[in-house]
Amino acid sequence: MGKWRPRGSCRGNMQCRQEVPATLTSSEMFFTRTQPQPQADAPGPWAVVSRLYMTPGQGCGHPVQDEGPPPAPSPPPAMSSSGKDHLGASSSEPLPVIIVGNGPSGICLSYLLSGYTPYVKPDAVHPHPLLQRKLTEAPGVSILDQDLDYLSEGLEGRSQSPMALLFDALLRPDTDFGGNMKSVLTWKHQEEHAIPHVVLGRNLPGGAWHSIEGSMVTLSQGQWMGLPDLEVKDWMQKKRRGLRNSRATAGDIAHYYRDYVVKKGLGHNFVSGAVVTAVEWGTPNPNRCGAQDSSPLFQVSGFLSRDQGRQPFSLWARNVVLATGTFDSPARLGIPGEALPFIHHELSALEAATRVGALTPASDPVLIIGAGLSAADAVLYARHYNIPVIHAFRRAVDDPGLVFNQLPKMLYPEYHKVHQMMREQSILSPSPYEGYRSLPGHRLLCFKEDCQAVFQDLKGVEKVFEVSLVLVLIGSHPDLSFLPGAGADFAVDPDQPLSTKRNPIDVDPFTYQSTRQEGLYAMGPLAGDNFVRFVQGGALAVASSLLRKETRKPP
């Protein structure tokens, strides 16, 4: 049995005996030494909910009285719109669209559904000759009204989605070649093209970005985090801040998304503090919901977090768009002892333990499990505070699929430093990096109550290590428990669990509508688009499809 105990004892570390509050992390984030960004002022009351018809599970019914703002998170003042009520007197009728999720995907789609229409600038010349020729074939026709399949044909890039490549090429024409050419699109606000919709989200507009440590820095370049018609760098200049090595902090990006909703006048479409518990397909009672026929509709049920408690709601819609992202449920090892109180599945546990002094350089090492960016974030954080680390992972360091082998060294030196440590600092070899050891190719067997982790190496030999805290950072899964079969019924392989990387929701590549359920759309990570830069193509596809449906609708 092998042990490594540099200093200290788990029994003297209260972190082994208490839970640490959890937050979310993002695949586009890494830890760096920056000062946390100031948070926006406390939000004021919101009025959207009073326009939604809610009952405790009977579909459309009586309007809810506004009983005051929900507890944080809640929308900023602009979330209460004094402008035109998109739902208004017709709110007793089924909504055309409900968007579940208010992250970058949901915000971008709301922008397109609010009448903001993209056109090609008359004098624009796109650097891609084939795309430029196609764009000149329909002058004066909005992109939403063109054949997106035809426009995207022949485009190549860092995404497998033709819609992601198309919209990215229009917004950032030569960015992959180091250029900074402006977008070839111009935007016109055409109210007659707006489609009434509501965006339901647990957090503030921006989704999981509000739950990430504000001092963390985006993996993607800051300019790639922007949404249509408001570049991040322009927004930051007005805030008297700049990008850090071409990247931005999570605090800035969360503030940017929240501000985007305000500046674009989208606030009246957003309801924060909304938790969806069921999305079902059925025929509503026409007497209750004002339906003119007996066509099946989606019933979206859930509750609102209010000061007075949970307030149920139930809404009907002709179309539902899933834009919930993928950070709802951390992946687990499924081994004995994983529920012990010193085992955690979020980087925030390490941050909290360090902040309260439960972890110090004299503590037993922190065990970090995983070979991805979140695990690297944890290693960087721990080393910044001189906390000893054991880093365990099963994949080979030189595996081409390992994310470190796909990142340019010049842009991400801190990640490549972790990769170098993983390669060189085996637990059995002398270490020039004091306080760090790696366990490549080791399989974790179980955790024991006395803060021990039991491993098996490649030769089958068991090893026991005493630790102070364990971080299991091996990815996360979306929480689609509100769908039949938790969403697996709509996946590419219905017989396997839904996975944003290996088994996403099966959608038409040019409309993002489910191949198995008409009217159900999925975008962002749920459809396989895992970076903000590329989720916007899904919004373009969904908006184009919904606009065509509205055009075909009988008067």
Side-chain angles (χ1 to χ4, degrees), residues 100-101 105 320-328 476-483 486-488 490-492 498-507 512 520-531 535:
V100 183
S105 298
V320 168
V321 183
L322 304 175
T324 58
T326 184
F327 300 106
D328 295 310
S476 57
H477 303 297
D479 180 7
L480 296 181
S481 57
F482 55 82
L483 290 176
F490 304 104
V492 173
L498 182 71
S499 167
T500 57
K501 293 183 178 180
R502 293 176 292 276
N503 193 31
I505 292 179
D506 193 14
V507 298
Y512 279 60
L520 183 68
Y521 294 80
M523 54 188 298
L526 295 178
D529 298 331
N530 290 295
F531 290 93
V535 302

Side-chain angles (χ1 to χ4, degrees), residues 15-20 337-344:
Q15 183 58 38
C16 293
R17 305 301 176 201
Q18 66 182 20
E19 290 286 354
V20 177
E338 194 169 3
L340 289 170
F342 64 96
I343 316 297
H344 302 278

